[in-house]
């Protein structure tokens, strides 16, 4: 069950117990979803799909917030740069106001 030295996103789990003349062992694994995301991003980037790679990374809220803080908002609906930022702001305004208020608050707090 060892994955050491291999490029794998699987974390092996194993355990065993021996008491007198009785032995038992079990094994399983956990798939690291964040590792899979990073590998997918690397493949997309190598294929020249930079916007798709960034979009995939932006599914992590910490990455999304870091991108906004850096002034390089995550792509949305095929838009990038300032147009993407405007779309994100519009989406956030609709979430805050329920789409009914004519002059929404620009606060990001709920």
């Amino acid at each position: 069950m060892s994955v050491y030295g291999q490029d794998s996103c699987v974390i092996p789990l194993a355990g065993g117990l021996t008491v007198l003349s009785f032995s038992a062992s079990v094994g399983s694994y956990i798939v690291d979803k964040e590792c899979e995301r990073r590998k997918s991003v690397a493949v997309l980037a190598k294929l020249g799909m930079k916007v798709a790679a960034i979009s995939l990374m932006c599914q992590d809220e910490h990455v999304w917030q870091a991108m906004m803080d850096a002034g390089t908002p995550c792509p949305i609906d095929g838009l990038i740069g300032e147009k993407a930022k405007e779309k994100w702001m519009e989406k956030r305004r609709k979430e805050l106001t329920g789409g009914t208020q004519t002059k929404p608050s620009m606060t990001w707090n709920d």
Side-chain angles (χ1 to χ4, degrees):
M1 290 185 46
S2 175
V3 293
Y4 298 109
Q6 298 176 15
D7 192 16
S8 176
C9 291
V10 176
I11 302 166
L13 303 171
L17 175 69
T18 300
V19 178
L20 298 174
S21 63
F22 175 76
S23 296
S25 63
V26 294
S28 187
Y29 62 91
I30 298 173
V31 177
D32 183 353
K33 296 295 183 189
E34 292 301 314
C35 175
E36 286 186 334
R37 181 184 320 214
R38 288 188 302 271
K39 289 191 181 298
S40 296
V41 166
V43 169
L44 286 169
K46 287 177 185 173
L47 292 172
M49 305 292 292
K50 304 282 186 190
V51 176
I54 292 169
S55 294
L56 186 56
M57 281 303 294
C58 284
Q59 291 177 5
D60 179 339
E61 68 180 74
H62 299 293
V63 172
W64 188 93
Q65 188 61 54
M67 295 284 287
M68 284 299 273
D69 292 346
T72 54
C74 292
I76 182 172
D77 295 339
L79 303 172
I80 59 172
E82 275 303 310
K83 291 180 180 179
K85 185 175 183 178
E86 291 171 14
K87 183 75 171 184
W88 281 115
M89 297 294 281
E90 177 186 325
K91 184 177 180 177
R92 183 64 177 160
R93 275 189 227 108
K94 286 181 181 177
E95 287 175 4
L96 290 173
T97 63
T100 58
Q101 189 176 352
T102 56
K103 188 175 179 184
S105 167
M106 290 302 292
T107 329
W108 288 87
N109 299 328
D110 287 333

